[in-house]
Amino acid sequence: MTTNSEYRVYTAQSRPDLWPDWNDESHPFSTIWANFLRGDLTDDFYLSKIRNYEELRKFQFFIVRQSPTEPETLVAFAQSIPFFWPELEATGGRTGLSSHPEVLQSLPDGGYDTILSRGVEQCLVRQGLPPLAAPFTDDQARDSTRKSNNRPNALSALSIAVLPEWRSKGLAEMMLGCMKAAARETGLEVLVVPLRPTRKADFPTVDISDYVTWKRGFGPTMGPVGPILAGDGGRVVNGKPCLPFDPWLRKHVSLGGHVVKVARNSIGLWGGYEIIPH
Ligand SMILES: CC(C)(COP(=O)(O)OP(=O)(O)OC[C@H]1O[C@@H](n2cnc3c(N)ncnc32)[C@H](O)[C@@H]1OP(=O)(O)O)[C@@H](O)C(=O)NCCC(=O)NCCS
């Protein structure tokens, strides 16, 4: 898939050789994650195994910088996973969401961890293979949908990582565009994001439910009991909508996403993010 003359997008299907070697600690993508965004049991177990399944490879993306004078450089990597969401199907799919927005609340409280294990385990069931692992968390154990052999009807983003020297060039947005396109092309009706806010770790004592309401330019300021919000509750100010304080959440909201719920048993929280209409 060509994106422009400088950057090319590939998938793990078209260029399996680009998959990072996670055991190689000198690989730049091995050290890109802040500790609070990585390293739980589900993440460690499932994430690297996605490459083993043909039907999942086309949802893993690489951006390579190409130059006539230098060797190609891998500059960004993104992962996503298709999954079957029974409540979405029961409500009539994407079109049913507008009249039944409460369906969004059926996304699992385990967020990233549950959707990652659900997506991989459902892929195995569809291929007639035994489960890869018993549930690691209570939320995964409650997630009986992981045993479903139904065709996926939704895509979940899992991660986007851009090497530091290539940030702020629109590559993260390009990756989200790739996920939307892949969802459209494969008939997946909705793209959801179990979002991991990149600045949350700077405010460890703030409840995540409060943190996601912080708006850019309005908070936080440090009060006697720690960070306090000096925000406006999300109203329009001077004709402009107040976007979230967290830069990664802000990116998704500015592209049309909206927060659905907090997933307390996840590495991050759920952000609902709808695909561009076909
Ligand atoms: C998050 C990430 C993919 C963003 O990539 P990017 O190319 O900088 O994306 P954008 O240019 O669209 O930046 C989005 C916003 O995040 C900000 N930002 C980028 N990197 C940031 C960082 N490390 N810390 C805080 N803010 C950051 C940008 O300034 C921008 O804010 P703005 O809207 O005010 O301009 C990149 O920072 C990254 O790879 N981080 C490490 C992996 C990670 O945490 N991924 C997110 C969880 S899946």
Side-chain angles (χ1 to χ4, degrees), residues 32-34 37 158-163 166-173 196 198-199 216 247-248 250-251:
I32 201 167
W33 300 97
L37 292 179
L158 291 173
S159 66
I160 298 180
V162 179
L163 290 184
W166 304 100
R167 289 181 191 164
S168 302
K169 296 179 188 300
L171 299 185
E173 201 169 319
R196 291 176 284 177
T198 48
R199 294 254 349 243
R216 186 184 202 184
W248 194 221
R250 183 164 69 242
K251 169 58 63 179

Side-chain angles (χ1 to χ4, degrees), residues 26-227:
S26 67
H27 192 291
F29 281 96
S30 297
T31 50
I32 201 167
W33 300 97
N35 282 341
F36 83 107
L37 292 179
R38 58 170 295 177
D40 76 356
L41 208 51
T42 304
D43 199 42
D44 285 348
F45 183 80
Y46 282 109
L47 211 54
S48 61
K49 295 185 174 60
I50 283 179
R51 69 180 300 183
N52 299 340
Y53 304 103
E54 174 65 24
E55 72 171 271
L56 302 181
R57 282 186 206 135
K58 58 176 170 285
F59 299 102
Q60 321 308 317
F61 306 97
F62 307 103
I63 296 179
V64 168
R65 180 177 178 265
Q66 301 196 314
S67 149
T69 54
E70 295 165 38
E72 66 173 10
T73 314
L74 176 61
V75 295
F77 177 45
Q79 295 198 255
S80 59
I81 193 155
F83 68 103
F84 175 60
W85 183 2
E87 295 86 353
L88 179 68
E89 184 178 80
T91 200
R94 180 186 171 82
T95 49
L97 274 184
S98 51
S99 47
H100 293 284
E102 71 280 3
V103 169
L104 294 170
Q105 299 303 315
S106 68
L107 286 165
D109 288 335
Y112 175 95
D113 304 79
T114 301
I115 221 67
L116 171 57
S117 66
R118 182 194 286 192
V120 177
E121 294 294 349
Q122 286 181 345
C123 172
L124 292 170
V125 177
R126 288 193 296 277
Q127 294 178 37
L129 297 171
L132 208 52
F136 291 118
T137 68
D138 290 345
D139 194 72
Q140 289 169 0
R142 280 191 294 274
D143 187 37
S144 56
T145 309
R146 65 196 254 128
K147 296 177 183 157
S148 165
N149 65 359
N150 286 59
R151 187 179 166 278
N153 57 355
L155 183 66
S156 175
L158 291 173
S159 66
I160 298 180
V162 179
L163 290 184
E165 57 271 44
W166 304 100
R167 289 181 191 164
S168 302
K169 296 179 188 300
L171 299 185
E173 201 169 319
M174 196 184 285
M175 286 301 204
L176 283 164
C178 292
M179 290 180 194
K180 291 177 187 177
R184 282 196 303 270
E185 283 161 16
T186 50
L188 301 171
E189 300 192 56
V190 177
L191 172 62
V192 296
V193 181
L195 190 112
R196 291 176 284 177
T198 48
R199 294 254 349 243
K200 174 65 180 76
D202 296 340
F203 307 97
T205 61
V206 177
D207 191 279
I208 183 72
S209 299
D210 294 331
Y211 180 75
V212 297
T213 68
W214 287 5
K215 304 296 176 196
R216 186 184 202 184
F218 287 89
T221 56
M222 293 301 286
V225 291

